């Protein structure tokens, strides 16, 4: 890309000052033409000439001229439309430089050139995305006014833009900005019948839930995506590998989800799905489903396939993976032991005694594990769901017996009880 610094030569051997002077002279001559149609044709010819020689200064000077008050709006729009189309043929770096400055030039009169500015932003976003400048591309697209009263935009166009912006933010793991645009898309979703857009929305929503560590919700979304039966959507063939990838993501998110009954139900669904048997992660899924304690080696092997946000550090200094695996192993231990000293539990989980007690207390409080903690003796007593059910049944039985005894006593005293 040419460095357009004052005094540096431009293509053709001219300096920037010379090029600007020549362009100004050419524009003045065209502005003096008598026929409006001839002026538009001359502007088009001049635009093509400066694009062919890669004259960035000339392109921008021409754009400033045609959007000024000296050129009628009808003519300006035609020239700006051609300007946007011509940019698509120039090299990527030059495209980024020209398009960025062109947007700034057009911005004061964006109401008059709304359609052209939107097309310019879309083409610039495409170039930025090709160079993996995801956030910059998202910012450019987000500048398109989707609620403008000057253009009639259908729901599909708005939905497509919101979903694409969210996807671009997700490429840089920016779940916060991605979520704001997917929330906008959610209001547009009921208004479309386009299956491709519906699927893109679902994929984006699942990825956002995953990035925000709402793993159980993400697992449900991924699993729903893996069960798509259509093989052709809006003319596009659905790749079987994408479905397998969604299924694998559902398994990963389920394993990382907080241990408890809801996670167990999702594990059961996945374990019974025959397709999971072909996944590399199936052996781990089986161990987790049967509530077996996972070794350090198995956890490290699982970690190799995780995304950065799934290995992020939490407030207590542990990683997302560590927290999920400790909770799983604790729940598994509750199935093996009736009680255990907190010191021994900490050794089993690979954490200190105080942390083991805190995790157990939180899981009990949240209803994800049944048990009690004797802090004086340092012992955790576990109760299985069957024990809890039997205890509940026995209390109901005792209540019924007491009720019968009261009724019998009332009858013996001659009291008529109306049931």
């Amino acid at each position: 890309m040419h460095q357009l610094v004052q005094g540096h030569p431009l293509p053709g051997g001219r300096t920037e000052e010379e090029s600007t002077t020549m362009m100004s002279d050419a524009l003045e001559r065209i502005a003096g033409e008598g026929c409006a149609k001839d002026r538009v044709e001359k502007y088009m010819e001049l635009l093509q000439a400066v694009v062919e020689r890669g004259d960035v200064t000339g392109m921008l000077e021409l754009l400033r001229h045609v959007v000024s008050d000296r050129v009628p709006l009808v003519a300006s729009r035609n020239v700006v439309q051609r300007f946007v189309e011509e940019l698509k043929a120039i090299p990527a770096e030059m495209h980024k430089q020209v398009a960025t400055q062109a947007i700034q030039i057009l911005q004061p009169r964006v109401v008059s050139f709304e359609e052209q500015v939107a097309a310019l932003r879309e083409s610039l976003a495409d170039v930025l995305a090709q160079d993996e400048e995801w956030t910059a591309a998202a910012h450019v697209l987000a500048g398109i006014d989707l609620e403008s009263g000057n253009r009639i935009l259908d729901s599909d166009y708005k939905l497509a833009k919101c979903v694409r912006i969210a996807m671009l933010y997700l490429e840089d793991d920016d779940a916060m900005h991605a979520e704001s645009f997917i929330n906008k898309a959610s209001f547009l979703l009921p208004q479309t019948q386009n299956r491709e857009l519906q699927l893109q929305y679902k994929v984006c929503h699942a990825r956002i839930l995953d990035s925000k560590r709402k793993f159980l919700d993400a697992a449900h979304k991924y699993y729903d995506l893996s069960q798509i039966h259509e093989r052709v959507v809006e003319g596009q063939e659905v790749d079987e590998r994408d479905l397998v990838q969604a299924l694998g993501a559902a398994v990963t998110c389920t394993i990382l989800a907080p241990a408890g009954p809801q996670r167990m139900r999702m594990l059961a669904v996945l374990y019974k799905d025959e397709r999971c048997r072909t996944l590399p992660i199936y052996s781990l899924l089986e161990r987790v489903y049967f509530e077996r304690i996972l070794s350090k080696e198995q956890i490290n092997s699982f970690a190799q396939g995780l995304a950065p946000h799934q290995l992020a550090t939490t407030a207590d200094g542990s990683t997302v993976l560590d927290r999920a695996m400790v909770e799983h192993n604790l729940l598994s231990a509750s199935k093996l032991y009736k009680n255990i000293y907190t010191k021994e539990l900490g050794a089993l989980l690979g954490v200190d005694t105080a942390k083991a007690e805190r995790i157990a207390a939180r899981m009990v409080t949240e209803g994800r594990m049944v048990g009690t903690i004797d802090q004086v003796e340092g012992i955790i007593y576990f109760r299985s769901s069957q024990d809890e059910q039997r205890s509940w049944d026995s209390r109901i039985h005792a209540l019924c017996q007491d009720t019968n005894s009261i009724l019998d006593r009332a009858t013996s005293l001659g009291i008529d009880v109306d049931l």
Side-chain angles (χ1 to χ4, degrees):
M1 182 178 66
H2 296 283
Q3 296 294 326
L4 301 178
V5 181
Q6 187 173 0
H8 283 212
L10 295 167
R14 292 185 297 274
T15 64
E16 183 180 352
E17 293 88 344
E18 293 171 340
S19 177
T20 301
T21 301
M22 291 180 65
M23 177 59 67
S24 298
D25 292 343
L27 291 171
E28 287 297 329
R29 286 195 299 271
I30 295 173
E33 293 280 344
C35 178
K37 183 178 179 181
D38 290 343
R39 287 200 298 272
V40 172
E41 290 179 356
K42 294 288 185 181
Y43 284 134
M44 297 291 193
E45 291 172 3
L46 182 59
L47 172 62
Q48 186 173 358
V50 293
V51 169
E52 286 178 352
R53 67 173 181 257
D55 184 354
V56 173
T57 303
M59 295 182 218
L60 297 174
E61 188 67 25
L62 187 150
L63 183 63
R64 289 189 186 94
H65 175 83
V66 297
V67 301
S68 67
D69 295 334
R70 298 184 62 186
V71 182
L73 185 57
V74 174
S76 297
R77 282 177 175 162
N78 289 332
V79 178
V80 174
Q81 186 64 41
R82 176 67 68 83
F83 180 92
V84 174
E85 293 169 0
E86 291 288 346
L87 284 190
K88 297 176 182 178
I90 67 177
E93 287 302 318
M94 186 181 293
H95 188 141
K96 284 190 280 188
Q97 180 186 2
V98 175
T100 300
Q101 295 186 56
I103 290 171
Q104 295 173 356
I105 293 169
L106 290 167
Q107 197 60 40
R109 298 194 63 189
V110 68
V111 175
S112 301
F113 300 97
E114 203 161 355
E115 186 174 343
Q116 290 77 17
V117 171
L120 190 59
R121 285 182 176 276
E122 288 170 7
S123 67
L124 177 56
D126 289 339
V127 173
L128 291 168
Q130 288 171 7
D131 289 344
E132 298 185 0
E133 296 180 43
W134 311 115
T135 299
H139 284 328
V140 169
L141 273 185
I144 298 175
D145 186 1
L146 298 178
E147 303 302 328
S148 170
N150 299 314
R151 287 197 302 159
I152 300 175
L153 302 176
D154 61 26
S155 298
D156 284 6
Y157 177 85
K158 295 179 183 179
L159 177 60
K161 289 294 168 283
C162 287
V163 170
R164 190 180 179 210
I165 293 168
M167 284 290 197
L168 288 168
Y169 277 124
L170 279 177
E171 292 296 332
D172 272 342
D173 290 325
D174 188 348
M176 183 182 71
H177 283 100
E179 187 176 29
S180 68
F181 281 93
I182 212 63
N183 287 340
K184 293 179 183 178
S186 66
F187 294 105
L188 299 166
L189 194 63
Q191 303 172 31
T192 184
Q193 300 299 319
N194 188 308
R195 280 291 292 154
E196 184 178 6
L197 286 177
Q198 291 171 348
L199 290 177
Q200 288 176 358
Y201 170 85
K202 289 180 179 179
V203 170
C204 191
H205 191 200
R207 289 184 58 192
I208 288 172
L209 292 170
D210 188 352
S211 295
K212 292 180 71 67
R213 305 176 197 170
K214 297 179 180 179
F215 293 120
L216 197 57
D217 292 334
H220 285 288
K221 299 295 183 183
Y222 281 131
Y223 188 67
D224 289 344
L225 285 167
S226 75
Q227 292 183 301
I228 294 172
H229 298 298
E230 303 108 309
R231 287 299 172 262
V232 178
V233 177
E234 300 292 334
Q236 299 290 325
E237 186 174 351
V238 177
D239 194 333
E240 191 68 30
R241 290 172 296 183
D242 291 338
L243 302 182
V244 173
Q245 185 178 2
L247 183 63
V251 173
T252 298
C253 286
T254 304
I255 292 173
L256 290 172
Q262 292 183 334
R263 175 180 182 254
M264 195 63 207
R265 283 193 287 271
M266 191 62 198
L267 285 169
V269 170
L270 292 168
Y271 180 73
K272 293 172 184 176
D273 192 322
E274 292 294 329
R275 299 175 300 162
C276 288
R277 296 180 183 276
T278 63
L279 298 176
I281 202 175
Y282 177 73
S283 59
L284 184 65
L285 169 63
E286 186 176 37
R287 291 189 65 85
V288 174
Y289 172 67
F290 285 110
E291 298 179 308
R292 296 169 185 164
I293 294 177
L294 302 178
S295 67
K296 191 70 174 176
E297 291 74 19
Q298 291 165 336
I299 295 172
N300 290 338
S301 177
F302 175 52
Q304 293 175 5
L306 297 182
H309 70 271
Q310 295 168 335
L311 295 169
T313 303
T314 60
D316 63 359
S318 62
T319 66
V320 173
L321 174 62
D322 291 338
R323 181 172 179 171
M325 295 299 95
V326 167
E327 288 187 357
H328 167 78
N329 283 344
L330 176 53
L331 195 60
S332 299
S334 73
K335 309 297 179 182
L336 295 175
Y337 300 93
K338 286 188 176 297
N339 55 71
I340 187 173
Y341 283 101
T342 52
K343 183 177 180 180
E344 294 177 359
L345 179 63
L348 178 66
L349 301 178
V351 297
D352 59 65
T353 303
K355 188 171 183 178
E357 185 179 309
R358 284 198 305 272
I359 295 170
R362 184 179 67 242
M363 292 180 68
V364 170
T365 303
E366 293 174 355
R368 295 189 284 132
M369 185 175 70
V370 183
T372 57
I373 302 176
D374 185 338
Q375 292 183 306
V376 176
E377 298 294 335
I379 302 175
I380 299 177
Y381 296 91
F382 300 114
R383 291 200 304 272
S384 66
S385 56
Q386 290 84 358
D387 292 339
E388 194 73 10
Q389 184 66 44
R390 283 193 293 269
S391 175
W392 178 254
D393 289 345
S394 66
R395 287 197 293 271
I396 293 176
H397 180 68
L399 177 61
C400 291
Q401 283 186 324
D402 291 343
T403 304
N404 283 334
S405 298
I406 293 170
L407 291 173
D408 290 342
R409 178 63 175 164
T411 301
S412 66
L413 295 174
I415 300 172
D416 186 17
V417 180
D418 187 13
L419 296 178

